[in-house]
Amino acid sequence: MNLQIIKDNLLTASSPKESIDFIQFNRKKIEGYFVSLTDEQIEEDKFDLQSTCLGFINSPAFQENKTNPDFIEIITLFSELFEKIGFYGAISFIQTNLPKDSSIRHRLNAVFLYSKIGNISEYFEKFDDIFQSLEKAQNYSDADYTGQVVQDTINYYLLGKNALENAQKSELLENFKALFNSSKSRQKYKFLNHPTFKEYLDGYITEKIFIELIADKVYSPSVTTQRIFQDLIIDHINTAGYLERYNNDEIRADILNYGRADFTTPYKELSPYDRVQLYCYFNMRKHFFTSYAIYEKIFSTLNSSVFTKNRKLVLIDFGCGSLTSGLALASLFYDYEDEPITMRYIGIDIADSMLEKAKEFAQTELFSPNTKFDFYSSWNLIPESIVAEAIKSDCVVIFNASYLFASSSLEIESLALFVNKITLRLESKSHFVFQNPDRADRNEKYKRFKKNVAHKIEASGTQRIYYKNNSNSTFEPSSEVVNYEILSL
């Protein structure tokens, strides 16, 4: 898919139905084209992109069907490109054609407000208007646009900070910083408590936060996985009525602490398991898609060394949570092979509430009846009899560590000792699959861990994963940036 094909089909369609059919039949390819463009490519082609987008908006097909979700998706994809490079003139026109109650419109309104600030006083005067728009954008349905909102917050902060520094207004600069740091602001706009933004203000993050690499797809759940999400996440949320008692703001910031909550403790009348249910709804699926994307990188290796040879696969999942990475690997296998996976799974998580939810996902059709599950609160509690029974010399072991190394309580030496104990039993190489936030301060423990295990790096990088929680969604894709590495031990 390329811009010329998109342009030809959108601007020369003989009827609205022809345009809609083109979008629906080519949705994956169209989304893949948009997310594959680098900032440099967007900058180089921005006027052609703008011409195509405005031509489509002004076409009879669009004007007669302004609320069509497929049409809205197309202009949303264009607007995200222009937002990335700060092409605000194009954004202002698109914004007026987006649904009034949509994340992208609220976010673009905030971007447009701070991009048009003309004097220093407006950085203060427009603070609430900008943040009210960002607050609405972040709280839109179950799709997680927090990363984009935090990035917009940082962009606004940097614009004001640089303007005040250049004007040598040191006192006003401190007042401006205080707007973002005050308890009043953080209570009113809870996303200011997001760990990424707090660490940015505290000076822990000094480089560009998001490293933009070329992607070529937008991930979405298969029919089978979507049904599992519906049965074990969405239906549970609707039945329990959590969303009627708490707004998205409180759930994300206070109940879940942006995924960092202590799931061993209750919150008000919510049990630890209730908090896990909400975690699955708001956070789990994005980690599912990052795990899926990472395992996809080594699937051909696994297929040739394990699945086609009927060798035993053992997945030891540190900080397994609600079985997120295990579910992602099983879903990947099901999507490629059209059958459930067979493996031995050992999940380790300190929170019993997480393990309770993990056992529910273990019962789904993605896993064959021959898959055996064991769950423990610590690797040190796994009995030697289980290790001896599960780990045979000819099996292939995958150690999974998803966001494990961001934990302040993680004991590196103990983990390395356990991993080395397992690898000594094996004839063939094992794999260590690591993913973590893309920040150096969060990855120091991982560097120390690697010094304690003999390894070879198979793949390494930082990638932005685009995804949709629902395969039929016409909202703009959410995204998550992940630092990953795959080791051969």
Side-chain angles (χ1 to χ4, degrees):
M1 187 62 63
N2 57 48
L3 181 60
Q4 191 61 50
I5 294 174
I6 295 172
K7 186 175 185 177
D8 289 345
N9 281 275
L10 292 182
L11 301 188
T12 62
S14 59
S15 67
K17 184 179 183 305
E18 188 175 336
S19 297
I20 294 169
D21 287 345
F22 167 71
I23 296 168
Q24 291 182 346
F25 293 151
N26 296 279
R27 175 166 280 114
K28 291 287 187 183
K29 291 180 180 179
I30 294 170
E31 291 173 343
Y33 165 74
F34 279 94
V35 302
S36 71
L37 294 176
T38 63
D39 289 1
E40 292 75 17
Q41 290 172 317
I42 301 168
E43 186 67 44
E44 182 178 345
D45 297 334
K46 67 180 181 181
F47 292 113
D48 200 8
L49 289 162
Q50 180 189 37
S51 173
T52 302
C53 182
L54 298 188
F56 176 55
I57 289 175
N58 289 320
S59 69
F62 184 89
Q63 290 299 315
E64 293 171 15
N65 299 268
K66 283 188 173 184
T67 60
N68 180 275
D70 297 301
F71 287 176
I72 294 300
E73 180 182 19
I74 292 297
I75 66 170
T76 295
L77 290 169
F78 274 107
S79 67
E80 289 194 318
L81 296 184
F82 302 140
E83 181 188 11
K84 284 174 64 178
I85 63 168
F87 193 20
Y88 302 120
I91 288 175
S92 63
F93 186 78
I94 297 173
Q95 182 189 349
T96 60
N97 288 279
L98 291 166
K100 291 183 178 179
D101 188 21
S102 63
S103 176
I104 185 69
R105 179 155 179 168
H106 292 310
R107 194 167 71 249
L108 290 181
N109 183 60
V111 171
F112 194 72
L113 283 172
Y114 67 63
S115 70
K116 294 301 180 183
I117 289 178
N119 57 67
I120 285 174
S121 65
E122 289 184 335
Y123 284 104
F124 296 86
E125 294 166 2
K126 293 188 176 181
F127 180 86
D128 280 313
D129 289 338
I130 291 168
F131 272 37
Q132 284 168 12
S133 288
L134 291 177
E135 185 79 2
K136 292 175 182 176
Q138 193 252 332
N139 285 325
Y140 190 73
S141 75
D142 69 321
D144 191 356
Y145 300 116
T146 308
Q148 290 97 315
V149 167
V150 169
Q151 186 64 68
D152 287 331
T153 302
I154 291 172
N155 290 343
Y156 167 43
Y157 174 78
L158 285 176
L159 280 174
K161 177 175 174 288
N162 291 338
L164 290 164
E165 286 177 343
N166 291 336
Q168 298 183 337
K169 302 287 187 179
S170 56
E171 184 176 346
L172 287 178
L173 176 59
E174 293 307 310
N175 292 340
F176 184 66
K177 290 180 179 179
L179 282 177
F180 294 81
N181 266 320
S182 72
S183 57
K184 179 181 178 181
S185 293
R186 289 187 171 181
Q187 180 62 34
K188 189 174 182 180
Y189 308 112
K190 290 186 179 292
F191 61 87
L192 287 175
N193 296 288
H194 192 279
T196 297
F197 185 67
K198 290 176 67 176
E199 289 168 6
Y200 188 87
L201 288 182
D202 292 339
Y204 291 110
I205 304 170
T206 57
E207 301 175 357
K208 182 181 179 183
I209 294 178
F210 294 150
I211 298 177
E212 193 72 58
L213 298 185
I214 299 174
D216 60 359
K217 69 168 66 177
V218 176
Y219 289 91
S220 61
S222 65
V223 173
T224 301
T225 304
Q226 179 65 46
R227 186 167 58 248
I228 292 170
F229 286 166
Q230 184 70 42
D231 292 344
L232 293 183
I233 299 177
I234 300 170
D235 287 351
H236 282 202
I237 289 292
N238 292 336
T239 300
Y242 301 121
L243 304 184
E244 297 170 6
R245 287 179 279 159
Y246 301 95
N247 61 39
N248 287 7
D249 219 15
E250 184 175 5
I251 292 171
R252 292 184 189 278
D254 300 331
I255 298 175
L256 299 179
N257 190 19
Y258 296 102
R260 288 179 162 188
D262 180 358
F263 293 100
T264 66
T265 62
Y267 175 88
K268 297 181 178 177
E269 79 278 11
L270 296 177
S271 69
Y273 179 76
D274 292 329
R275 300 179 79 178
V276 168
Q277 295 275 67
L278 287 164
Y279 166 82
C280 290
Y281 186 74
F282 284 97
N283 292 87
M284 174 189 172
R285 286 173 287 180
K286 69 179 176 183
H287 298 313
F288 168 90
F289 289 113
T290 59
S291 291
Y292 187 106
I294 292 168
Y295 275 108
E296 194 173 39
K297 296 178 185 297
I298 60 169
F299 185 78
S300 60
T301 300
L302 292 176
N303 205 24
S304 60
S305 64
V306 182
F307 304 130
T308 59
K309 296 182 179 179
N310 293 318
R311 297 176 69 187
K312 183 180 180 182
L313 174 65
V314 180
L315 178 59
I316 301 177
D317 196 355
F318 302 113
C320 67
S322 52
L323 196 70
T324 307
S325 293
L327 198 70
L329 177 57
S331 181
L332 176 67
F333 183 84
Y334 202 100
D335 293 345
Y336 273 76
E337 303 298 326
D338 198 28
E339 63 180 70
I341 197 170
T342 297
M343 64 177 173
R344 181 63 183 270
Y345 180 90
I346 300 175
I348 303 158
D349 199 283
I350 195 173
D352 289 339
S353 56
M354 280 290 186
L355 297 182
E356 183 180 352
K357 192 65 183 179
K359 292 172 184 177
E360 294 179 22
F361 283 112
Q363 301 303 311
T364 60
E365 63 210 88
L366 292 176
F367 302 99
S368 79
N370 294 323
T371 294
K372 186 174 181 181
F373 294 88
D374 289 291
F375 296 96
Y376 300 93
S377 60
S378 168
W379 52 82
N380 291 322
L381 296 177
I382 304 174
E384 172 56 31
S385 59
I386 294 294
V387 174
E389 183 267 327
I391 311 299
K392 305 299 183 182
S393 61
D394 63 341
C395 71
V396 174
V397 174
I398 298 177
F399 301 98
N400 187 80
S402 177
Y403 295 86
L404 175 77
F405 287 89
S407 170
S408 59
S409 60
L410 177 64
E411 297 177 357
I412 297 300
E413 291 73 17
S414 173
L415 176 63
L417 184 65
F418 175 79
V419 170
N420 288 330
K421 181 178 73 171
I422 299 298
T423 56
L424 286 173
R425 296 172 180 259
L426 303 173
E427 294 175 354
S428 57
K429 293 290 186 182
S430 59
H431 304 278
F432 194 97
V433 179
F434 157 86
Q435 62 173 306
N436 222 31
D438 175 36
R439 296 196 289 281
D441 59 297
R442 296 283 191 85
N443 296 320
E444 287 301 319
K445 286 193 173 184
Y446 178 61
K447 292 179 183 178
R448 286 168 45 204
F449 166 77
K450 288 197 293 183
K451 292 180 179 179
N452 288 280
V453 295
H455 68 275
K456 179 182 178 181
I457 298 175
E458 297 180 21
S460 181
T462 301
Q463 186 170 347
R464 183 184 290 275
I465 308 298
Y466 292 88
Y467 67 93
K468 290 184 174 183
N469 285 338
N470 188 317
S471 56
N472 297 319
S473 171
T474 54
F475 296 142
E476 70 270 27
S478 301
S479 65
E480 180 77 0
V481 176
V482 63
N483 182 242
Y484 71 91
E485 198 158 77
I486 302 167
L487 307 179
S488 175
L489 304 181

